[in-house]
Amino acid sequence: MRQLLLDLSAQQPPTFDTFVTGQNAELLQRLQDIAAAHAQPPLNDRFIYLWGETGAGKTHLLHSLAQKIPTGSRLIPADADDSAFDYDPAVQCYLLDDCEQLPPASQIAAFALFNQIRELGGYLVSAGAQPPAQLQVREDLRTRLGWGLIYQVHGLTDDEKIAALTQSAQARGMTVSPAILSYLLTHYRRDMPSLSRMLDALDRYSLETKRPITLPLLRDLLQQEAENETP
């Protein structure tokens, strides 16, 4: 059982196909257009800023875009070395995550990168926890991040999460009642990556124990997960 629970930390590579769209259809289409683009769009359309609560899917979308442009994109986490902000003509799309966590030196480097992309070409897709105007970063960088297109990444409602999990379970050949999924939502982490991993674990646990997927089975798994996380 220990090995089964450790598997909860495993994550599948994020893709556009595994992103649950919800109210983010326009944003998803915009990012897919970037991946498929063969010509530069209008200037301000080359700068996109995503913001939303933790677990809404911002990082998932950045990694999905990187996966679609494997040789022409660069992911830049907030703690990246300053060299990650160096402009390279071979990079089509720069993906800057967790803007609110950028240290002072990286804020200067990000500002310089923005200006180079604006002059020389490419895309900059950035993400943060707050809208640009509320970011606690340098004023010049805050202004730049708010210069292009701004999208809020909307989290899913509970009904949308249950619908997405139901569809995912059906794709796996699982039969999971809405009552079980509702219980999972109220007794476990609420972000979709965690919920999806728990659904996978529930499927494996059912197969290993040769028990049907019921509420008692889910409770057993959640209890063992809690015990596994206790120091």
Side-chain angles (χ1 to χ4, degrees), residues 145-161:
L145 292 173
W147 186 77
L149 302 176
I150 300 173
Y151 288 94
Q152 180 180 4
V153 183
H154 297 279
L156 300 177
T157 66
D158 284 358
D159 287 343
E160 288 171 335
K161 289 177 181 178

Side-chain angles (χ1 to χ4, degrees), residues 133-209:
Q134 298 178 18
L135 287 174
Q136 298 299 308
V137 297
R138 293 169 54 102
E139 178 62 26
D140 53 7
L141 177 60
R142 182 164 52 243
T143 300
R144 292 296 189 274
L145 292 173
W147 186 77
L149 302 176
I150 300 173
Y151 288 94
Q152 180 180 4
V153 183
H154 297 279
L156 300 177
T157 66
D158 284 358
D159 287 343
E160 288 171 335
K161 289 177 181 178
I162 289 175
L165 291 170
T166 299
Q167 183 177 4
S168 180
Q170 291 172 347
R172 294 174 171 87
M174 300 169 61
T175 300
V176 185
S177 72
I180 292 175
L181 296 176
S182 295
Y183 186 90
L184 178 59
L185 276 176
T186 56
H187 292 80
Y188 193 59
R189 306 184 193 105
R190 295 178 56 81
D191 63 283
M192 282 302 297
S194 295
L195 291 169
S196 295
R197 290 195 294 273
M198 179 53 77
L199 192 64
D200 285 337
L202 185 60
D203 187 26
R204 294 194 300 272
Y205 190 35
S206 173
L207 292 173
E208 286 193 6
T209 60

Side-chain angles (χ1 to χ4, degrees), residues 46-172:
R46 294 196 282 114
F47 298 93
I48 298 176
Y49 181 86
L50 318 179
W51 69 276
E53 63 185 13
T54 300
K58 303 183 297 296
T59 298
H60 185 121
L61 288 170
L62 294 185
H63 282 260
S64 298
L65 187 52
Q67 186 267 341
K68 282 289 188 180
I69 318 174
T71 60
S73 62
R74 182 189 295 168
L75 282 163
I76 309 176
D79 59 354
D81 293 336
D82 288 349
S83 61
F85 296 87
D86 292 345
Y87 183 83
D88 183 346
V91 176
Q92 175 189 351
C93 190
Y94 299 84
L95 306 163
L96 177 59
D97 204 2
D98 297 321
C99 289
E100 73 282 357
Q101 299 179 24
L102 288 170
S106 295
Q107 293 177 34
I108 296 172
F111 175 75
L113 177 61
F114 182 102
N115 291 332
Q116 289 179 297
I117 294 171
R118 182 176 179 178
E119 178 183 356
L120 301 173
Y123 292 88
L124 175 63
V125 182
S126 308
Q130 300 91 25
Q134 298 178 18
L135 287 174
Q136 298 299 308
V137 297
R138 293 169 54 102
E139 178 62 26
D140 53 7
L141 177 60
R142 182 164 52 243
T143 300
R144 292 296 189 274
L145 292 173
W147 186 77
L149 302 176
I150 300 173
Y151 288 94
Q152 180 180 4
V153 183
H154 297 279
L156 300 177
T157 66
D158 284 358
D159 287 343
E160 288 171 335
K161 289 177 181 178
I162 289 175
L165 291 170
T166 299
Q167 183 177 4
S168 180
Q170 291 172 347
R172 294 174 171 87

